[in-house]
Amino acid sequence: MAKGLFDCTGKVTLVTGGNSGIGLGFARGVAKLGGDIAIWARNEEKNAAARKELEDAGAGRVIAYQVDVSSEQAIVDGYAQLLADFGRIDCVFANSGRASRSRSVLTLDANEWHDLLAVNLHGAFFTLREGAKAMVARAEAGEPGGSLVYCGSLSMFHGIAGINNYAASKGGMGAVVRGMAAELGKYEIRANTIAPGYIKTGIGTDQEMSDEMKARIAQVDAHFSAKTPIHRPGTPEDFEGIGAYLASDASRYHSGDTIVIDGGSLIYPPYAF
């Protein structure tokens, strides 16, 4: 019996890129409500630190794996190990990704185009696809349900010069998630996208950063804060609540949505004073 509206006890959540930033914030929200968590990320040291943090936060069980989500086979193998260890999967947060190295559509070459899509688009798709397979198998055995989540961005809505491959990956996966929601609803599996705004993921607190870089980061923070109705940057902690909600049964009828976590910046026009 659930202990509360957002109780995650007995549920297993996979978070790719879950050892830092938004992914760790999402995982921490699940951990605080007693859920079990699997992390897929490549840095062993950061994985160990994240595992301890999540255990201290209240997670039932945490295992961190080194999985390269740019490889379909690595994802398939990763799920085989996860299911062997946990026995089930209830929520998948496809969060792994990287920023575009491009600054102009005129110089965006094939290598950069495909390299980013290998992680942000293809890796996310295969991660959610394999999670859906496990959830459907469980539904067909008599236990329907499950939550598929993708980490998008405001580039799904805005035209942003230069980063066309990044925007293509986010917009493309947004369409994929809506298609998954339509197809998998009969199994009571829901699929949603989170679209973060400007989020501080820890780089600004690096004590080894030069004074010049700290000043530049402060300028960026001030710029975005001024353009956001809630006048501050977002933090990973701002994703704990949505993590607990989407992993829990509280979101069992919420599907096909793009949930914007941005302090209101999407609705704030550039000509506002």
Side-chain angles (χ1 to χ4, degrees), residues 33-81:
L33 277 298
D36 297 336
I37 299 166
I39 290 172
W40 283 2
R42 292 185 289 181
N43 187 303
E44 187 174 358
E45 183 177 347
K46 290 173 68 175
N47 282 358
R51 177 179 177 178
K52 183 180 186 308
E53 180 176 341
L54 293 171
E55 289 173 341
D56 291 346
R61 187 182 182 194
V62 183
I63 300 179
Y65 306 86
Q66 289 181 290
V67 177
D68 180 2
V69 297
S70 68
S71 164
E72 179 183 5
Q73 190 58 54
I75 290 169
V76 172
D77 294 342
Y79 268 104
Q81 187 61 59

Side-chain angles (χ1 to χ4, degrees), residues 193-216:
T193 297
I194 294 173
Y198 176 59
I199 310 300
K200 293 273 287 184
T201 57
I203 187 173
T205 62
D206 187 349
Q207 297 303 310
E208 298 181 0
M209 188 180 296
S210 68
D211 289 341
E212 180 184 0
M213 182 57 71
K214 288 179 181 178
R216 290 179 61 186

